[in-house]
Amino acid sequence: MNGKRIYKFFIGMPLKVKLILFSALQIFIPVIVVGAFSYNIATHILTDKVSHSTIITLEQAARSIELFMKDIEDLSVFLVSDDSVQKLLKKENESDKEGTLLLDQVYKTLFNLTNSKEHISFICILKEQNGRQYYAGPPVAVGEGNFSKQQWYKKTIEMDGRTLWVDTYKNTLFSNIDPYVFSLSCTINDIYRIKKRLGVLLINIKEQSLYQFYGGESNDNNREVFIVNKEGLIVSHRDKGLLLTKVDDGLISKGLLKGDKGVFTYQMNHRKQLVTYYKIPKLDWILVSVVSMNALLRENKVIGTLTLVVVMVSIVITLFLSILLASTISRPVGKLLEQMKQVSEGNFDIYVDFHYGDEVSQLGEGFNSMVKKIEQLIHQVYLEQKHQKEIELKALQAQINPHFLYNTLESINWMAQEIDAKDISTMVKALAKFFRISISKGRDIIDIKDEIEHVKNYLIIQKIRYQDVLQTEIMVSGDILNYKIPKLTLQPLVENSIYHGIKNKKGKGTILITGRKDKNDIVFEIIDNGIGMDEKEIERLNHSLRNYQGEVRIGYGIRNVHERIVLRFGKEYGLTYFKNIEGGITVEIRLPACTDLGE
């Protein structure tokens, strides 16, 4: 259903239904808008509050993790600088009494550390001199203890005494013990000859211990907290099956790996999530919190429910009041409509009497007045029609008068010829033709050739009167003679040129009449060399003709010609006046080119 159909459907509704609908919408729309606005504001405030709180929580968790890492680093410094460790790694022969004693002290230190630190899964010292390994922890799986060929070992050597943190990886050293660990490694150099490397230290830390610092024992299925590295791989998570997998590319494109902290929303598994992240600078790890927006906004649904309840209650109350209001308006209007139907059937003996004192009562009074006036007008029209018939009868009786006029003029013509008065004969013959075309059997539209003939006869009479003053020329294209033109269009304009332009001019005056076809129009021009008008007068004249106001200096006849053309053909047609460069005025008459204009 398009807009026009909806509009027509609405317009066609009964007045009572429209009033009810409008009243309901006046309450319903504002309540919905206010409710939606309140819900969105509450959602925004809650989201900001939760985001700020989560950032603070993640920041605290990051500091705890860094302290935890610092503790591991302090432990590594202790082991690297331990006197027994230093001596054991320097000693070539470990089988003598001193070697056995040092070996016992080193193992005792390692076992004490692994037993006292639950988060430590494995500690191993690799001797540079002979490749021997000293470790504390579960037994190493066969074939997995050759650390010197592993990637982390090579990187540790390159670090040359600095600490290397190795991201979480799958533990293949032990069977079914601590499946995922991350590691700290560093070289052990001679404390007295710092450039001399004695061995390498490796400490494996349980990933589960790391999770305890930020995830705890939370069982909230609507919230996930985990750690990713700078490549986007998950290095710590409650779900161990997700470890070492890459996070969704959409999270990365949102800027998860950029900046020190941030908040954004993201569509994950067809559910909108609020993602908050905080970077742990020490390890280039990123602590990430993901919470379901549905769970987060669960409390906001109360606002939505309350809004819906308010809307429904408002609609019920509004409908009740709307029906009551609509009835007070539609009932008298319906009564008025019934009375109007009776009037349309010809019963004018109607009177509406409302006692409300409102606009409907005023409408009823106006209706009563209108019925009376209609009745009066009908009676008046009847009388006017009767009078018109009488006039038509008299006009019919007077049709012989033009014939009497023509016969009289013809008699005068013969009498003039008998006394050889040629000017009188010419003038009488021209006058007869002039009146014959003027009357044109009552027709308002004639051929252009008849209009030209009418002007010629008029000019014949005027030339006799102004023999030494007036000179005329008619140049009309032959292809327009059969087109139609309103009767008495050109003659009043020629008459105006003579009496207002030529008559008051010193010397001989000329009038040129031209006619041509211009595309779909017929254009006549009447050009004189009379006294003319200045530009401002012509401008006022044209403005007066176009706006039907003001006084036209050259007479009522000109306005009559212009208005007859405009009323029949439209405002794009009519008269336009121009000032001639050589003096005088040109009036342009523009008409549509038509061969049948009707009557």
Side-chain angles (χ1 to χ4, degrees), residues 483-535:
Y483 286 98
K484 300 295 182 180
I485 187 172
K487 183 175 63 177
L488 297 179
T489 295
L490 300 179
Q491 183 271 326
L493 303 178
V494 173
E495 181 179 348
N496 185 76
S497 293
I498 293 173
Y499 282 98
H500 294 280
I502 303 299
K503 183 179 178 181
N504 298 322
K505 173 183 170 63
K506 293 181 180 180
K508 200 163 189 176
T510 60
I511 295 177
L512 171 63
I513 302 173
T514 67
R516 70 184 190 282
K517 189 175 181 184
D518 181 15
K519 296 181 180 179
N520 295 323
D521 293 342
I522 300 295
V523 178
F524 288 98
E525 287 183 343
I526 299 175
I527 307 166
D528 67 59
N529 66 343
I531 60 174
M533 294 186 291
D534 60 31
E535 291 288 354

Coordinates of all heavy atoms in Angstrom, one line a residue, residues 483-535:
Y483 N -7.0 30.9 -39.7 CA -7.0 30.6 -38.2 C -8.1 31.5 -37.6 O -8.5 32.5 -38.1 CB -5.7 30.9 -37.6 CG -4.7 29.8 -37.9 CD1 -3.7 29.9 -39.0 CD2 -4.6 28.6 -37.2 CE1 -2.8 29.0 -39.3 CE2 -3.7 27.6 -37.5 CZ -2.8 27.8 -38.5 OH -1.9 26.8 -38.8
K484 N -8.5 31.2 -36.3 CA -9.5 31.9 -35.6 C -8.9 32.9 -34.7 O -7.8 32.8 -34.2 CB -10.4 30.9 -34.8 CG -11.0 29.8 -35.6 CD -12.1 30.4 -36.5 CE -12.8 29.3 -37.3 NZ -13.8 29.8 -38.2
I485 N -9.8 34.0 -34.4 CA -9.4 35.1 -33.6 C -10.7 35.6 -32.9 O -11.7 35.6 -33.5 CB -8.7 36.2 -34.4 CG1 -8.1 37.2 -33.4 CG2 -9.6 36.8 -35.4 CD1 -7.2 38.2 -34.2
P486 N -10.6 36.1 -31.6 CA -11.8 36.7 -31.0 C -12.1 38.0 -31.8 O -11.2 38.8 -32.2 CB -11.3 37.1 -29.6 CG -10.2 36.1 -29.3 CD -9.5 35.9 -30.6
K487 N -13.4 38.2 -32.0 CA -13.9 39.3 -32.8 C -13.5 40.6 -32.1 O -13.4 40.7 -30.9 CB -15.4 39.2 -32.9 CG -16.1 40.3 -33.7 CD -17.6 40.0 -33.9 CE -18.3 40.0 -32.6 NZ -19.7 39.8 -32.8
L488 N -13.2 41.7 -32.9 CA -12.9 43.0 -32.4 C -11.6 43.0 -31.5 O -11.6 43.5 -30.4 CB -14.1 43.6 -31.6 CG -15.4 43.8 -32.4 CD1 -16.4 44.4 -31.4 CD2 -15.1 44.8 -33.5
T489 N -10.6 42.3 -32.0 CA -9.3 42.3 -31.4 C -8.4 43.4 -31.9 O -7.8 44.1 -31.1 CB -8.6 40.9 -31.5 OG1 -9.4 39.9 -30.9 CG2 -7.2 40.9 -30.9
L490 N -8.3 43.5 -33.2 CA -7.4 44.5 -33.8 C -7.9 45.9 -33.9 O -7.2 46.9 -33.7 CB -7.0 44.0 -35.2 CG -6.3 42.6 -35.3 CD1 -6.0 42.3 -36.8 CD2 -5.0 42.6 -34.5
Q491 N -9.2 46.1 -34.2 CA -9.8 47.4 -34.4 C -9.6 48.3 -33.2 O -9.2 49.5 -33.4 CB -11.2 47.3 -34.9 CG -11.9 48.6 -35.2 CD -12.5 49.2 -34.0 OE1 -13.0 48.5 -33.1 NE2 -12.5 50.5 -33.9
P492 N -9.9 47.9 -32.0 CA -9.7 48.8 -30.8 C -8.3 49.2 -30.7 O -8.0 50.4 -30.2 CB -10.2 47.9 -29.6 CG -11.1 46.9 -30.2 CD -10.5 46.6 -31.6
L493 N -7.3 48.4 -31.0 CA -5.9 48.7 -30.9 C -5.5 49.7 -31.9 O -4.7 50.7 -31.7 CB -5.0 47.5 -30.9 CG -5.4 46.4 -29.9 CD1 -4.5 45.2 -30.1 CD2 -5.2 46.9 -28.5
V494 N -6.0 49.6 -33.2 CA -5.8 50.5 -34.2 C -6.4 51.9 -33.9 O -5.8 52.9 -34.0 CB -6.3 50.0 -35.6 CG1 -6.2 51.1 -36.7 CG2 -5.5 48.7 -36.0
E495 N -7.6 51.8 -33.4 CA -8.3 53.0 -33.0 C -7.5 53.8 -31.9 O -7.3 55.0 -31.9 CB -9.7 52.7 -32.4 CG -10.5 53.9 -32.0 CD -11.9 53.6 -31.5 OE1 -12.3 52.4 -31.7 OE2 -12.5 54.4 -30.9
N496 N -6.9 53.0 -30.9 CA -6.1 53.6 -29.9 C -4.9 54.3 -30.4 O -4.5 55.3 -30.0 CB -5.7 52.5 -28.9 CG -5.0 53.1 -27.7 OD1 -5.6 53.7 -26.8 ND2 -3.7 52.9 -27.7
S497 N -4.2 53.6 -31.4 CA -3.0 54.2 -32.1 C -3.4 55.5 -32.8 O -2.6 56.5 -32.7 CB -2.4 53.2 -33.1 OG -1.9 52.1 -32.4
I498 N -4.5 55.6 -33.4 CA -4.9 56.8 -34.1 C -5.2 57.9 -33.1 O -4.7 59.0 -33.2 CB -6.2 56.5 -35.0 CG1 -5.8 55.6 -36.1 CG2 -6.7 57.9 -35.6 CD1 -7.0 55.1 -36.9
Y499 N -6.0 57.7 -32.1 CA -6.5 58.8 -31.3 C -5.5 59.2 -30.2 O -5.5 60.3 -29.7 CB -7.8 58.3 -30.6 CG -9.0 58.4 -31.5 CD1 -9.5 57.3 -32.2 CD2 -9.6 59.7 -31.7 CE1 -10.5 57.4 -33.0 CE2 -10.7 59.7 -32.6 CZ -11.2 58.6 -33.2 OH -12.2 58.7 -34.1
H500 N -4.6 58.2 -29.8 CA -3.6 58.6 -28.8 C -2.2 58.7 -29.3 O -1.3 59.2 -28.5 CB -3.6 57.5 -27.7 CG -4.9 57.5 -26.9 ND1 -5.2 58.3 -25.9 CD2 -6.0 56.6 -27.0 CE1 -6.4 58.0 -25.4 NE2 -6.9 57.0 -26.1
G501 N -2.0 58.3 -30.5 CA -0.6 58.4 -31.1 C -0.5 59.3 -32.3 O 0.3 60.3 -32.3
I502 N -1.4 59.1 -33.3 CA -1.3 59.8 -34.6 C -2.0 61.2 -34.5 O -1.4 62.2 -35.0 CB -1.9 59.0 -35.7 CG1 -1.2 57.6 -35.7 CG2 -1.7 59.7 -37.0 CD1 0.3 57.7 -36.0
K503 N -3.1 61.2 -33.9 CA -3.9 62.4 -33.9 C -3.2 63.6 -33.3 O -3.3 64.7 -33.8 CB -5.2 62.1 -33.1 CG -6.2 63.3 -33.2 CD -7.5 62.9 -32.4 CE -8.5 64.1 -32.4 NZ -9.7 63.8 -31.6
N504 N -2.5 63.4 -32.3 CA -1.8 64.5 -31.6 C -0.4 64.7 -32.1 O 0.4 65.5 -31.5 CB -1.7 64.2 -30.1 CG -3.1 64.1 -29.5 OD1 -4.0 64.9 -29.8 ND2 -3.3 63.2 -28.5
K505 N 0.0 64.1 -33.2 CA 1.4 64.2 -33.7 C 1.4 65.3 -34.8 O 0.4 65.4 -35.6 CB 1.8 62.8 -34.3 CG 3.1 62.9 -35.1 CD 3.4 61.5 -35.7 CE 4.5 61.5 -36.7 NZ 5.8 61.9 -36.0
K506 N 2.4 66.0 -34.9 CA 2.6 67.0 -35.9 C 3.1 66.3 -37.2 O 4.0 65.5 -37.1 CB 3.6 68.1 -35.5 CG 3.1 69.0 -34.4 CD 4.1 70.0 -34.0 CE 3.6 70.9 -32.9 NZ 4.6 72.0 -32.6
G507 N 2.5 66.5 -38.3 CA 2.9 65.9 -39.5 C 2.1 64.6 -39.7 O 1.2 64.2 -39.0
K508 N 2.6 63.8 -40.7 CA 1.8 62.6 -41.2 C 2.2 61.4 -40.3 O 3.4 61.2 -40.0 CB 2.1 62.3 -42.6 CG 1.1 61.4 -43.3 CD 1.2 61.5 -44.8 CE 0.1 60.8 -45.4 NZ 0.1 60.9 -46.9
G509 N 1.2 60.7 -39.9 CA 1.4 59.5 -39.1 C 1.2 58.2 -39.9 O 0.4 58.2 -40.8
T510 N 1.9 57.1 -39.5 CA 1.8 55.9 -40.2 C 1.4 54.8 -39.2 O 1.9 54.8 -38.0 CB 3.1 55.5 -40.9 OG1 4.1 55.4 -40.0 CG2 3.4 56.5 -42.0
I511 N 0.7 53.8 -39.6 CA 0.3 52.6 -38.8 C 0.6 51.4 -39.7 O 0.1 51.3 -40.8 CB -1.1 52.6 -38.4 CG1 -1.4 53.8 -37.4 CG2 -1.5 51.3 -37.7 CD1 -2.8 53.9 -37.0
L512 N 1.4 50.5 -39.2 CA 1.8 49.2 -39.9 C 1.2 48.1 -39.1 O 1.4 47.9 -37.9 CB 3.3 49.1 -40.0 CG 3.8 47.7 -40.5 CD1 3.3 47.5 -42.0 CD2 5.3 47.6 -40.5
I513 N 0.4 47.3 -39.7 CA -0.2 46.1 -39.1 C 0.4 44.8 -39.7 O 0.4 44.6 -40.9 CB -1.7 46.0 -39.3 CG1 -2.4 47.3 -38.7 CG2 -2.3 44.8 -38.6 CD1 -3.8 47.4 -39.0
T514 N 1.1 44.0 -38.9 CA 1.7 42.8 -39.4 C 1.1 41.6 -38.7 O 0.6 41.7 -37.5 CB 3.3 42.8 -39.1 OG1 3.5 42.7 -37.7 CG2 3.9 44.0 -39.7
G515 N 1.2 40.4 -39.3 CA 0.7 39.2 -38.7 C 1.5 38.0 -39.3 O 1.7 37.9 -40.5
R516 N 1.9 37.1 -38.4 CA 2.7 36.0 -38.8 C 2.4 34.8 -37.8 O 1.9 35.0 -36.7 CB 4.2 36.3 -38.8 CG 4.8 36.5 -37.4 CD 6.2 37.0 -37.5 NE 6.8 36.9 -36.2 CZ 6.7 37.8 -35.2 NH1 5.9 38.9 -35.4 NH2 7.3 37.7 -34.0
K517 N 2.9 33.6 -38.2 CA 2.8 32.5 -37.3 C 4.2 32.3 -36.6 O 5.2 32.3 -37.3 CB 2.5 31.2 -38.1 CG 2.2 30.0 -37.2 CD 1.7 28.8 -38.0 CE 1.4 27.6 -37.1 NZ 1.0 26.4 -37.9
D518 N 4.2 32.1 -35.3 CA 5.4 31.9 -34.5 C 5.3 30.6 -33.8 O 4.7 30.5 -32.7 CB 5.6 33.0 -33.6 CG 6.9 32.9 -32.7 OD1 7.7 32.1 -33.1 OD2 7.0 33.6 -31.7
K519 N 5.8 29.5 -34.4 CA 5.7 28.1 -33.9 C 4.2 27.8 -33.8 O 3.5 27.7 -34.8 CB 6.4 28.0 -32.6 CG 7.9 28.1 -32.7 CD 8.6 28.0 -31.4 CE 10.1 28.1 -31.6 NZ 10.9 28.0 -30.3
N520 N 3.7 27.6 -32.5 CA 2.3 27.3 -32.3 C 1.4 28.5 -32.0 O 0.3 28.3 -31.5 CB 2.2 26.3 -31.2 CG 2.8 24.9 -31.5 OD1 2.8 24.5 -32.7 ND2 3.4 24.3 -30.6
D521 N 2.0 29.7 -32.2 CA 1.2 30.9 -31.9 C 1.0 31.8 -33.2 O 1.8 31.6 -34.1 CB 2.0 31.7 -30.8 CG 2.0 31.0 -29.5 OD1 1.2 30.1 -29.3 OD2 2.9 31.4 -28.7
I522 N 0.1 32.7 -33.0 CA -0.1 33.7 -34.0 C 0.2 35.0 -33.4 O -0.2 35.3 -32.3 CB -1.6 33.8 -34.5 CG1 -2.0 32.4 -35.2 CG2 -1.8 34.9 -35.5 CD1 -1.3 32.1 -36.4
V523 N 1.1 35.8 -34.0 CA 1.6 37.1 -33.5 C 1.2 38.2 -34.4 O 1.6 38.2 -35.6 CB 3.1 37.1 -33.2 CG1 3.6 38.4 -32.7 CG2 3.4 35.9 -32.2
F524 N 0.5 39.2 -33.9 CA 0.2 40.4 -34.6 C 1.0 41.6 -34.0 O 1.2 41.6 -32.8 CB -1.3 40.8 -34.6 CG -2.2 39.9 -35.4 CD1 -2.8 38.8 -34.9 CD2 -2.3 40.1 -36.8 CE1 -3.7 38.0 -35.6 CE2 -3.1 39.3 -37.6 CZ -3.8 38.3 -37.0
E525 N 1.4 42.6 -34.8 CA 2.0 43.8 -34.3 C 1.4 45.0 -34.9 O 1.2 45.0 -36.2 CB 3.5 43.8 -34.6 CG 4.3 42.8 -33.7 CD 5.8 42.9 -34.0 OE1 6.2 43.4 -35.0 OE2 6.5 42.4 -33.1
I526 N 1.0 45.9 -34.1 CA 0.5 47.2 -34.6 C 1.5 48.3 -34.2 O 1.7 48.6 -33.1 CB -0.9 47.5 -34.0 CG1 -1.9 46.4 -34.4 CG2 -1.4 48.9 -34.4 CD1 -3.3 46.5 -33.7
I527 N 2.2 48.8 -35.3 CA 3.3 49.7 -35.1 C 2.9 51.1 -35.5 O 2.5 51.3 -36.7 CB 4.5 49.2 -35.8 CG1 4.8 47.7 -35.5 CG2 5.7 50.1 -35.6 CD1 5.8 47.0 -36.4
D528 N 3.1 52.1 -34.7 CA 2.8 53.5 -35.1 C 4.0 54.4 -34.8 O 4.9 54.0 -34.0 CB 1.5 54.0 -34.4 CG 1.7 54.2 -32.9 OD1 2.6 55.0 -32.5 OD2 0.9 53.6 -32.1
N529 N 4.0 55.5 -35.4 CA 5.1 56.5 -35.2 C 4.5 57.7 -34.5 O 5.0 58.9 -34.7 CB 5.8 56.9 -36.5 CG 4.8 57.6 -37.4 OD1 3.6 57.6 -37.3 ND2 5.4 58.3 -38.4
G530 N 3.5 57.5 -33.6 CA 2.9 58.6 -32.9 C 3.7 59.2 -31.8 O 5.0 59.0 -31.8
I531 N 3.1 59.9 -30.9 CA 3.8 60.6 -29.8 C 4.5 59.7 -28.8 O 5.4 60.0 -28.1 CB 2.9 61.6 -29.1 CG1 1.7 60.9 -28.5 CG2 2.4 62.7 -30.1 CD1 0.9 61.8 -27.6
G532 N 3.9 58.5 -28.7 CA 4.5 57.4 -27.9 C 4.4 57.7 -26.4 O 3.8 58.6 -25.9
M533 N 5.2 56.9 -25.6 CA 5.3 57.0 -24.2 C 6.7 56.7 -23.8 O 7.5 56.1 -24.5 CB 4.4 56.0 -23.5 CG 2.9 56.3 -23.7 SD 1.9 55.2 -22.7 CE 2.2 53.7 -23.5
D534 N 7.1 57.2 -22.6 CA 8.5 56.9 -22.1 C 8.5 55.4 -21.5 O 7.5 54.8 -21.4 CB 9.0 57.9 -21.1 CG 8.2 58.0 -19.9 OD1 7.5 57.0 -19.5 OD2 8.1 59.1 -19.3
E535 N 9.7 55.0 -21.2 CA 9.9 53.6 -20.8 C 9.1 53.3 -19.5 O 8.5 52.2 -19.3 CB 11.4 53.3 -20.6 CG 12.2 53.2 -21.8 CD 11.9 52.0 -22.6 OE1 11.2 51.1 -22.2 OE2 12.5 51.9 -23.8

